[in-house]
Amino acid sequence: MEIKVMQNVLKANDVFADQTAELLKAKGIRLLNLIGSPGAGKTSVLELMIPLLKDKGLRIAVIEGDCATARDAQRIAVLDVPVVQINTGNGCHLDARQIGTVMTEFPLEDIDMVIIENVGNLVCPTGFDLGADEKIAVISVTEGDDKPLKYPRIFHEAKMVILTKIDLIPYTNFSLQRFTDALRSIRQDQELFLLSCTTGEGAEKLVERFWM
Ligand code: MG
Ligand code: ZN
């Protein structure tokens, strides 16, 4: 019986995800779902990228997911883009119903791209479709080069991986070769972007990819 309930929950989620996907497709809006551990640097990636993308004329809106506080939404709001914070309490991921509700609050006619920063978690946000065009995995050097092997599902579903904090590589035992080998063992066509939000290294390449 419990399994049946769980299936219904997931099915309901997919109905909302499909609605969001259809709505945004009709309006020509891309939806990205950023997934990564707490402290991977997801918000820092947004802080770095949003001004650069705005310079290119891309109109962005952001949905922030966290258990508590509006800290990340406050960091994004100073960039002068529409942002909504979802607090999940004990919830460890955002679901498609929450995303669908937020879409009714955004000025969709004036938006080209919505970026979701999911609740910090490498595991279960992967299992909930939010209607996004793509999932993007964000992982930092300090998490270790073996994480793709230990948490393969997100790296299987995310074609695009952003490795953050690359300026810290000299101070850790992180091996870029081991990391790349691990990624390739999961998915051959993975696009890996190296980034330092401190120095800005790698930002231009990422802008080109987001701009596609
Ligand atoms: Mg954050
Ligand atoms: Zn969860």
Side-chain angles (χ1 to χ4, degrees), residues 41-44 64-66 72 75 117-118:
K42 298 181 294 301
T43 315
S44 296
E64 285 289 347
D66 277 300
D72 283 1
R75 286 168 65 183
E117 181 187 337
N118 221 309

Side-chain angles (χ1 to χ4, degrees), residues 34 41-56 60 62 75-76 78-79 115 117 162-167 193-207 210:
L34 255 58
K42 298 181 294 301
T43 315
S44 296
V45 170
L46 293 178
E47 284 179 314
L48 180 68
M49 297 301 297
I50 286 172
L52 297 174
L53 292 168
K54 278 178 76 178
D55 284 349
K56 296 252 181 195
I60 296 171
V62 175
R75 286 168 65 183
I76 299 303
V78 300
L79 305 174
I115 305 177
E117 181 187 337
I162 303 174
L163 177 66
T164 61
K165 310 186 191 183
I166 57 165
D167 51 300
F193 291 83
L194 309 183
L195 186 70
S196 167
C197 293
T198 305
T199 67
E201 189 183 347
E204 277 306 317
K205 268 191 181 170
L206 206 51
V207 166
F210 269 86

Side-chain angles (χ1 to χ4, degrees), residues 15-175:
V15 170
F16 287 110
D18 289 348
Q19 281 174 3
T20 295
E22 271 174 38
L23 172 71
L24 297 188
K25 194 179 174 192
K27 296 190 179 295
I29 299 172
R30 275 175 69 202
L31 179 64
L32 308 179
N33 183 4
L34 255 58
I35 298 175
S37 302
K42 298 181 294 301
T43 315
S44 296
V45 170
L46 293 178
E47 284 179 314
L48 180 68
M49 297 301 297
I50 286 172
L52 297 174
L53 292 168
K54 278 178 76 178
D55 284 349
K56 296 252 181 195
L58 203 67
R59 298 168 300 173
I60 296 171
V62 175
I63 300 172
E64 285 289 347
D66 277 300
C67 293
T69 82
R71 294 178 73 99
D72 283 1
Q74 285 159 359
R75 286 168 65 183
I76 299 303
V78 300
L79 305 174
D80 200 24
V81 295
V83 57
V84 169
Q85 177 84 49
I86 299 173
N87 282 153
T88 56
N90 286 326
C92 44
H93 58 265
L94 295 173
D95 65 45
R97 183 176 190 162
Q98 294 166 325
I99 299 301
T101 304
V102 172
M103 289 306 164
T104 64
E105 297 184 18
F106 277 151
L108 294 180
E109 304 305 325
D110 303 317
I111 291 172
D112 301 309
M113 179 186 284
V114 178
I115 305 177
I116 299 164
E117 181 187 337
N118 221 309
V119 179
N121 185 332
L122 263 184
V123 185
C124 66
T126 314
F128 284 77
D129 183 12
L130 302 180
D133 294 290
E134 62 178 326
K135 295 183 177 108
I136 299 174
V138 180
I139 179 166
S140 58
V141 161
T142 47
E143 290 167 63
D145 51 39
D146 61 348
K147 290 306 166 292
L149 298 176
K150 295 171 78 172
Y151 301 90
R153 188 167 171 200
I154 178 59
F155 296 98
H156 183 72
E157 290 195 22
K159 189 181 181 198
M160 180 178 177
V161 176
I162 303 174
L163 177 66
T164 61
K165 310 186 191 183
I166 57 165
D167 51 300
L168 297 182
I169 288 179
Y171 310 105
T172 67
N173 61 2
F174 185 94
S175 159

